[in-house]
Amino acid sequence: MEQALNIGTQIDWIVLVIYMVAMLLFGTYFAKYNKDTNDFFFGGRRFTWWIIAMSIVATGISSHSFVKYSAMGFKYGFSSSMSYINDWFFVPFFLFGWLPIIVYSRIRSIPEYFERRFSPSARFFVTILQLLYLVGYVGIGFLTMGKAILPLMPETISLFGFQIHITLMGLIWVTAIVVGIYITFGGQTAVIFTDLVQGAMLLFAGLLVFFLGVYYVGGFGEFWNILPTTWKLPFAGFNSPAEFNSVGTFWEDAIAGSVGFLFMNMGLIMRFMATKNVHEGRKAATVNILFMLPISAIVVGGGGWVARAMFIKNPSIFPQNFTPDSVFVIVSHILAGPGVFGFIIASIAAALMSTVSTLLNATAAIWVNDVDRPIRIWLKKINKKDKQDEVRAMKVARIATACFTLLGVLAVYAFNSYPTVYQAHAFFHATLTPPLMVAIFFGAFWKKFTPAGLITTVIGGISLMLLGNRYPQELIGPIAHGTPFDPVHPYTYMAALYNLIVCTGVAVIVTLSQKQLKKLSHLILNNSKNKSIMYIFVGASILIVLFDLVIVFAKLNILPLPATFFLTLLMSGFVALITTHFVKYDAEAQTVGLTVWSIHKAKEWFKGRKLNEKEGEVIKVHFKVVEGDEDEINFSHKDMNRMAAEPGDLVYISDTRKWLGGLKSCHSVYGKPHDEDGVVYIRNLHLEKGLFVPGTILEAEKEM
Amino acid sequence: MPTFFNSWLPFLYLYIGGGIFFLAGLILIRKTKAIDMRLKRDRFWWRVMIFGYFYFALFHAILIIAALYW
């Protein structure tokens, strides 16, 4: 049970408050960069790789937080770094598959991709899963934040004569309000820039605690020698203990977690979409995984590692009855003086806020694009081809952000039953990632994957996953690689493998049975009672899903497991048939440009004409503002030749100051060339969009 | 001294199991021409991806050896 330890001083409190207020002001300053929802959600697609790589550090670190990794580092040693150094396996799929697909298809959210690739019903199901995933992630973020700050607090504070008892949930409510304010007004640009600062602070704070700790125990040699060998290994035991083992972490984190983070985390995807082009996105992702994540492993786990060495040397410096989740705060307090301790806690709390704010921004994007707009189209309030009403959309985005902040806090109540944040997060990943992971993977990489495959994966796959949750020993036990059975939280990690197997199995079988399903659908269609037959299938499917839900949540044993499992498989077959029968799907048209097999076509669509892949130079030019409101800019013949560009190609112009990271920049199209070398003619819209300062030199490069 | 089961087996499981996914990704992007080896930029990324796999494997191997023998 977490408790207030009252270990902060007044100076720490002052530092904490100043830091929070500064971040709040810094974030809301960027509201001026939000001209429309493209700016609010994607930061205008203008940033260079290093700014995104750095801002991802803050997002990544705080979601895989100091609290949980220090706790695991304290208990199990260097193996707490496992989750940070196992993300490379899906890089080819991401860099040359998913990233170009999402950028070139100009989608604004992952569910929108599913509508274009499959059907509106696929978008509906994926929207629900995405919102659950993001709200759950927000909940984990709030829980971690509360656990980081709570030990600082006194047990009660007196305000206007009222004695207020400090609780974990009370603290989470207060921090949720602060986060809600800056993300509601600042948008994606605010998130990127606050993350940039917070990422740097966070690295500094984590490394500071680690090096102070090493110094405290007498230098690196002493630190290394004091620790037992098993504790220094970079991997946990192969299949034990139940709460932390290598094989479980492989399936839950290296597979499900890595894909979840890179492919499904809409907050992170929006970061990559904020880079100026796909190449910069690749650089940001690569630098982040190759260099920033290993450093982050030390930053987040280091507190726990030095705490163990300090504990071996002198256990009396630690308070009695402390929980592993509070170890980072305790060790920081021992090592840092007043004020410095406040800074460390402030930087952690602020970074945790940045993760949450990223996710809230993503959730709002999904709400605006995938819920609000489709509902308005369905209610015939707007036409499908109408342009987005930007003022209204911004208002909806802000209200949605506030509402999802609230839902995120409510989600904390579900995760709070787990003994550590690490296990709560693992359960969350293992449960929600597999169906979406299979949907995204097969959608983007397998042309034959159909709407029937997708929807059956979601409905049938989740039902089979629920059965796994209800009968873990029978269904997960045989594939658990000998990991011990914990009756309270059974197979928290290995559930990911079972869930992946059932979701993949359903997806593959249904997709490969497409011909048979179509034949059956035609047979039913030719029957005079075809509607009644289909309604029977729909009714039976609903009944079986309800039956599964009842036996799982009410823990009833109505039928033996084999019969229940068979019924669920039967229901999956019905869902596949129903989807094949009702959903219109043109396999040829709906895969072009939307799978890895036709990336070239996607690029052409993005550009709107044939590609020009000649490699040109990056040039520096002065700019002149000319009359007109067309979105094109004009260079001289000579400058066009240097850039290997032709009229109609896409161009990116930016301020030459590299440290701005592309903040002052914009995209446009090459217009007809002129004869004034070294000068680019831009329009007022480019001046406003790029916030260029008159008299400055710009850098121009051909995008494609 | 930790047994093979708790020292090298997790390493092998990670890099063989993960390696299967990694290799599948490399083959797929080549087969679909998502990576265009005629372009200098794409050839660079190909090398980076392969480097990354061995970089992490070597990193983990050094850490295990250091823990066991240093």
Side-chain angles (χ1 to χ4, degrees), chain A residues 365-543:
Chain A
I366 289 176
W367 186 264
V368 169
N369 294 314
D370 305 300
V371 180
D372 184 63
R373 190 172 159 82
I375 286 178
R376 285 170 62 75
I377 291 169
W378 186 59
L379 293 175
K380 297 192 173 149
K381 289 198 171 176
I382 53 168
N383 200 308
K384 204 169 184 178
K385 285 178 182 164
D386 287 351
K387 272 203 155 186
Q388 184 130 279
D389 175 352
E390 291 295 343
V391 178
R392 190 186 174 281
M394 287 287 281
K395 207 182 283 175
V396 172
R398 289 187 165 128
I399 294 169
T401 307
C403 292
F404 282 110
T405 308
L406 184 73
L407 283 175
V409 178
L410 295 177
V412 175
Y413 289 96
F415 296 123
N416 206 11
S417 69
Y418 279 83
T420 61
V421 175
Y422 196 97
Q423 278 169 285
H425 201 175
F427 164 76
F428 166 70
H429 258 313
T431 310
L432 264 176
T433 309
L436 260 179
M437 175 181 165
V438 169
I440 289 177
F441 247 77
F442 284 164
F445 299 103
W446 193 18
K447 273 189 293 186
K448 284 186 179 170
F449 194 46
T450 58
L454 174 84
I455 292 171
T456 315
T457 302
V458 174
I459 300 175
I462 291 179
S463 299
L464 291 169
M465 282 165 50
L466 287 173
L467 290 187
N469 188 276
R470 173 72 181 86
Y471 302 102
Q473 267 182 309
E474 294 85 346
L475 295 174
I476 306 176
I479 52 164
H481 290 58
T483 53
F485 176 72
D486 170 5
V488 184
H489 298 295
Y491 303 121
T492 305
Y493 302 93
M494 291 311 289
L497 174 60
Y498 167 80
N499 294 346
L500 274 172
I501 289 173
V502 292
C503 289
T504 307
V506 166
V508 171
I509 291 168
V510 171
T511 304
L512 294 180
S513 314
Q514 203 54 39
K515 268 189 188 171
Q516 289 76 7
L517 285 167
K518 273 188 180 166
K519 266 188 195 168
L520 199 57
S521 166
H522 278 299
L523 269 178
I524 295 170
L525 199 66
N526 292 334
N527 191 301
S528 57
K529 290 179 179 168
N530 64 73
K531 278 192 178 170
S532 309
I533 295 170
M534 288 317 293
Y535 287 143
I536 289 170
F537 280 130
V538 173
S541 303
I542 293 171
L543 279 178

Side-chain angles (χ1 to χ4, degrees), chain A residues 137-379:
Chain A
Y137 230 119
V138 170
I140 290 277
F142 279 140
L143 177 62
T144 321
M145 197 178 331
K147 288 197 174 193
I149 302 174
L150 188 66
L152 268 79
M153 306 291 291
E155 278 183 31
T156 52
I157 55 170
S158 179
L159 202 66
F160 305 116
F162 292 100
Q163 288 290 318
I164 300 172
H165 186 65
I166 306 286
T167 62
L168 180 69
M169 286 313 298
L171 205 55
I172 286 169
W173 278 106
V174 173
T175 45
I177 291 166
V178 178
V179 177
I181 292 171
Y182 92 73
I183 185 61
T184 303
F185 294 101
Q188 183 68 251
T189 310
V191 173
I192 288 170
F193 277 86
T194 47
D195 273 12
L196 180 72
V197 176
Q198 286 164 2
M201 294 295 184
L202 186 80
L203 290 179
F204 177 72
L207 291 174
L208 181 72
V209 171
F210 177 65
F211 288 116
L212 283 176
V214 170
Y215 177 75
Y216 184 93
V217 294
F220 191 77
E222 185 71 14
F223 167 71
W224 185 262
N225 293 327
I226 210 170
L227 300 169
T229 304
T230 48
W231 205 89
K232 287 187 278 194
L233 284 166
F235 294 104
F238 180 71
N239 58 6
S240 64
E243 71 159 7
F244 190 57
N245 53 70
S246 289
V247 69
T249 307
F250 175 78
W251 288 106
E252 177 274 321
D253 192 275
I255 304 300
S258 298
V259 174
F261 195 60
L262 267 180
F263 289 70
M264 284 166 45
N265 187 328
M266 188 65 197
L268 198 76
I269 296 278
M270 285 163 72
R271 282 302 161 80
F272 290 116
M273 289 164 91
T275 52
K276 66 181 187 187
N277 57 39
V278 169
H279 185 61
E280 293 289 303
R282 284 177 184 144
K283 278 198 227 171
T286 307
V287 169
N288 186 263
I289 299 172
L290 277 181
F291 304 110
M292 302 315 287
L293 287 184
I295 295 172
S296 304
I298 301 172
V299 166
V300 296
W305 304 342
V306 291
R308 171 57 67 186
M310 289 159 66
F311 190 77
I312 292 171
K313 223 171 172 180
N314 187 6
S316 63
I317 53 173
F318 285 78
Q320 281 185 334
N321 306 326
F322 69 95
T323 59
D325 276 348
S326 62
V327 83
F328 182 83
V329 178
I330 293 167
V331 83
S332 303
H333 182 247
I334 295 168
L335 294 169
V340 178
F341 175 62
F343 161 76
I344 291 169
I345 298 304
S347 60
I348 293 167
L352 289 164
M353 279 165 61
S354 74
T355 298
V356 171
S357 60
T358 300
L359 296 166
L360 286 172
N361 188 253
T363 320
I366 289 176
W367 186 264
V368 169
N369 294 314
D370 305 300
V371 180
D372 184 63
R373 190 172 159 82
I375 286 178
R376 285 170 62 75
I377 291 169
W378 186 59
L379 293 175

Side-chain angles (χ1 to χ4, degrees), chain A residues 46 89 100 148 181 205 209 350 369 386 408 453 493 500 587 592 609 632 641 667 692:
Chain A
R46 64 175 92 195
F89 306 119
I181 292 171
V209 171
N369 294 314
D386 287 351
Y493 302 93
L500 274 172
V592 178
R609 52 185 288 160
E632 62 175 37
N641 285 338
H667 291 270
F692 300 126

Side-chain angles (χ1 to χ4, degrees), chain A residues 517-574:
Chain A
L517 285 167
K518 273 188 180 166
K519 266 188 195 168
L520 199 57
S521 166
H522 278 299
L523 269 178
I524 295 170
L525 199 66
N526 292 334
N527 191 301
S528 57
K529 290 179 179 168
N530 64 73
K531 278 192 178 170
S532 309
I533 295 170
M534 288 317 293
Y535 287 143
I536 289 170
F537 280 130
V538 173
S541 303
I542 293 171
L543 279 178
I544 297 172
V545 169
L546 289 175
F547 173 76
D548 281 345
L549 289 173
V550 167
I551 61 158
V552 169
F553 292 106
K555 296 200 183 298
L556 298 177
N557 284 314
I558 300 169
L559 285 176
L561 172 63
T564 311
F565 200 84
F566 173 75
L567 262 184
T568 309
L569 285 180
L570 193 68
M571 177 271 291
S572 302
F574 291 164

Side-chain angles (χ1 to χ4, degrees), chain A residues 85 88-89 92-93 96 224 229 232 234-235 237-239 246 250-251 255 279 282-283 286 289-290 445 481 596-597, chain B residues 5-6 10 13-14 17-18 21-22 25 28-29 32 34 41 45 48-49 52-53 55-56 59-60 64 66-67 70:
Chain A
I85 318 178
W88 194 252
F89 306 119
F93 288 105
F96 284 88
W224 185 262
T229 304
K232 287 187 278 194
F235 294 104
F238 180 71
N239 58 6
S246 289
F250 175 78
W251 288 106
I255 304 300
H279 185 61
R282 284 177 184 144
K283 278 198 227 171
T286 307
I289 299 172
L290 277 181
F445 299 103
H481 290 58
V596 73
W597 298 84
Chain B
F5 196 72
N6 287 325
Y13 196 92
L14 178 68
F21 287 98
F22 181 69
L28 191 75
I29 59 170
T32 57
R41 201 176 251 194
W45 282 115
V48 168
M49 286 186 289
Y53 178 84
Y55 163 85
F56 282 116
F59 183 64
H60 268 136
I64 294 173
W70 186 42

Side-chain angles (χ1 to χ4, degrees), chain A residues 2 75 78 107 170 180 223 313 412 461 477 508 605-606 618 652 684:
Chain A
E2 268 66 37
K75 287 172 88 173
F78 297 158
I107 56 154
F223 167 71
K313 223 171 172 180
V412 175
V508 171
W605 279 358
F606 181 78
V618 178
Y652 172 78
N684 264 322

